[in-house]
């Protein structure tokens, strides 16, 4: 949504002014509802109070700027331990981590696999899976999530 993209800089500034990182923002339609979702992060983690603080500030901005004509719900949450890596910067920050990769077309016979994120190149990712290096182009990438053993 173009109006939201135009406000992304303002949202980022306001979230940072509160002491957090705006990890990701999305406007989606789920279960019959429109949802404007902000994922926030902090080196010490995110608690419910953090989400409430950011939600109040984002709500004030959204009321003032009124960028969305239709009804929607505002959600603020942590990206979580199984966080999706949306940007190249997210991926570079996760180098050496175990990741779950989902692709559009099979890579080495699979569309879904777990491995270590070894490298981020201009063209895509290099994943170390069972001592084999798999190259996944950004065009073939469906999603990448941190994989944590619980």
């Amino acid at each position: 949504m173009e109006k939201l993209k135009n406000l992304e800089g303002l949202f980022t500034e306001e979230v940072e002014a509160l002491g957090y990182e705006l990890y990701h923002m999305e406007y989606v339609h789920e279960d019959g509802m429109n949802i404007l979702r902000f994922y926030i992060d902090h080196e010490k983690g995110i608690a419910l109070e953090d989400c409430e603080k950011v939600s109040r500030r984002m709500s004030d901005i959204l009321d003032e700027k009124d960028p969305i004509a239709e009804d929607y719900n505002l959600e603020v949450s942590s990206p979580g331990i199984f966080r999706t890596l949306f940007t190249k910067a997210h991926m570079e920050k996760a180098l050496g981590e175990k990741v779950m990769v989902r692709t559009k077309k099979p890579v080495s016979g699979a569309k879904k696999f777990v491995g270590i994120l070894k490298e981020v190149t201009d063209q895509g990712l290099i994943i170390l899976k069972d001592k084999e290096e798999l190259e996944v182009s950004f065009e073939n990438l469906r999603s990448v999530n941190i994989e944590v053993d619980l």
Side-chain angles (χ1 to χ4, degrees):
M1 174 173 265
E2 192 63 35
K3 286 183 181 180
L4 284 174
K5 279 289 180 201
N6 293 339
L7 292 174
E8 193 167 2
L10 174 62
F11 294 141
T12 299
E13 284 177 22
E14 293 294 331
V15 169
E16 288 175 356
L18 293 172
Y20 308 100
E21 171 194 350
L22 180 57
Y23 184 81
H24 185 67
M25 177 183 84
E26 62 187 7
Y27 186 70
V28 295
H29 188 80
E30 293 177 357
D31 300 323
M33 299 183 313
N34 296 312
I35 301 170
L36 175 57
R37 187 174 293 134
F38 291 93
Y39 293 98
I40 60 171
D41 206 4
H42 190 276
E43 62 190 26
K44 294 182 180 175
I46 296 295
L48 181 59
E49 297 80 24
D50 301 315
C51 294
E52 290 170 347
K53 186 190 318 185
V54 172
S55 180
R56 283 192 295 276
R57 184 64 191 122
M58 293 300 101
S59 185
D60 289 346
I61 293 169
L62 290 162
D63 286 347
E64 178 187 323
K65 302 292 183 184
D66 199 24
I68 304 172
E70 62 264 16
D71 290 338
Y72 66 95
N73 289 330
L74 173 63
E75 290 182 5
V76 177
S77 69
S78 160
I81 60 172
F82 297 101
R83 65 186 58 210
T84 300
L85 306 176
F86 293 102
T87 67
K88 193 173 179 181
H90 291 162
M91 294 170 197
E92 288 169 345
K93 195 173 178 181
L95 285 170
E97 300 276 344
K98 187 190 292 188
V99 292
M100 165 78 69
V101 178
R102 290 178 178 86
T103 59
K104 298 171 187 168
K105 293 183 244 165
V107 174
S108 194
K111 287 178 143 183
K112 178 180 167 183
F113 52 90
V114 174
I116 302 299
L117 180 53
K118 184 175 177 191
E119 189 177 342
V120 180
T121 69
D122 289 339
Q123 294 76 35
L125 307 177
I126 297 178
I127 309 294
L128 185 61
K129 179 182 179 287
D130 302 326
K131 298 181 182 173
E132 179 186 3
E133 286 188 2
L134 303 178
E135 292 185 40
V136 181
S137 69
F138 288 124
E139 293 80 31
N140 190 27
L141 198 57
R142 189 173 302 281
S143 66
V144 181
N145 294 74
I146 296 292
E147 182 72 9
V148 178
D149 296 323
L150 298 177

